[in-house]
Amino acid sequence: MNLEQFTALIRGNLIVSCQAGPDHPLRDSATIARLARAAVLGGAPAVRCGGVGGIDDVRAVADAVPVPVIGLTKRGTSGVFITPTVDDAVRVLESGATVVAADGTRRPRPDGATLSDTADAVHAAGGLLMADVATLADGVAAAEAGADLIATTLSGYTPDSPQQAGPDLALVAALAAELPSARIVAEGRYHHPEQVRAALDAGATAVVVGTAITDPVWITRSFVAATQH
């Protein structure tokens, strides 16, 4: 699937992220695949998966759903840890992903490679690259490095990005204005449908929602919190 085809599929739509941490009750690749199937039945034209489940989750989901998979791996919890190396990116593609999501910030990568190196490897293997960025400067640099999609995933998770409870709609708008021909994907703390609409109105090509859809622990805590007032 090329970039134009993928863009047509996701434009103005919702991508669902299906992930679970190491101690989560849903931490099982078969369970993640079932979450992905449910998301597709609900209308998601693509799913994002991998995380700590890595290659196993990507493979399980790619085998389970008829829609494109945005795959990633995670190594650690600090610095560049989302698909941090060129080798990780290629392995994600080999496991069935159409798009590789990788850290797209300007921080040094553990293998010493550049984001451009990752983009070249992904493209050579027939895939697309989604750069997870934290700031406008990150996004501009990622576009120059050859990323096919720019996602706001890491806003709020780096010292140079705003620390806030809700999504970074200002970053979505800034990226859309600065990079009018780029595919901007809004991601990060989108917990309500009206926030998804706001991101699309701000210029996002598509919006990724994970926790608020696929994490019953978080969802339950949100409802329990409402009983405490």
Side-chain angles (χ1 to χ4, degrees):
M1 178 175 288
N2 63 34
L3 180 58
E4 295 302 326
Q5 292 169 325
F6 184 72
T7 302
L9 192 66
I10 66 168
R11 187 178 296 280
N13 220 321
L14 176 75
I15 298 166
V16 175
S17 179
C18 301
Q19 300 183 54
D23 299 319
H24 197 284
L26 301 184
R27 179 58 268 143
D28 171 77
S29 293
T31 300
I32 297 298
R34 287 192 288 271
L35 283 175
R37 289 175 59 194
V40 172
L41 286 174
V47 295
R48 175 170 164 134
C49 66
V52 298
I55 299 304
D56 290 340
D57 278 15
V58 174
R59 185 178 294 111
V61 171
D63 287 343
V65 299
V67 302
V69 170
I70 302 165
L72 63 137
T73 61
K74 288 183 179 177
R75 295 180 183 272
T77 57
S78 63
V80 173
F81 66 89
I82 299 176
T83 319
T85 70
V86 172
D87 181 63
D88 287 327
V90 172
R91 291 181 64 224
V92 166
L93 278 181
E94 292 173 345
S95 299
T98 297
V99 180
V100 177
D103 186 299
T105 66
R106 292 161 294 155
R107 298 175 293 181
R109 308 175 74 81
D111 60 352
T114 64
L115 185 63
S116 181
D117 293 331
T118 299
D120 289 346
V122 167
H123 294 153
L128 302 172
L129 177 65
M130 176 182 287
D132 290 346
V133 306
T135 66
L136 175 60
D138 286 342
V140 171
E144 292 174 349
D148 301 289
L149 305 106
I150 311 296
T152 62
T153 315
L154 290 174
S155 175
Y157 300 98
T158 63
D160 58 345
S161 60
Q163 312 298 302
Q164 57 192 47
D168 192 349
L169 292 167
L171 179 57
V172 173
L175 286 167
E178 185 71 22
L179 303 168
S181 63
R183 282 73 171 174
I184 308 302
V185 178
E187 181 174 7
R189 302 178 301 280
Y190 283 86
H191 294 157
H192 305 286
E194 57 268 26
Q195 294 171 331
V196 172
R197 183 68 259 167
L200 293 173
D201 291 342
T205 303
V207 184
V208 175
V209 177
T211 300
I213 293 176
T214 57
D215 185 353
V217 176
W218 183 91
I219 295 168
T220 302
R221 284 176 179 160
S222 298
F223 277 90
V224 169
T227 70
Q228 308 304 310
H229 300 292

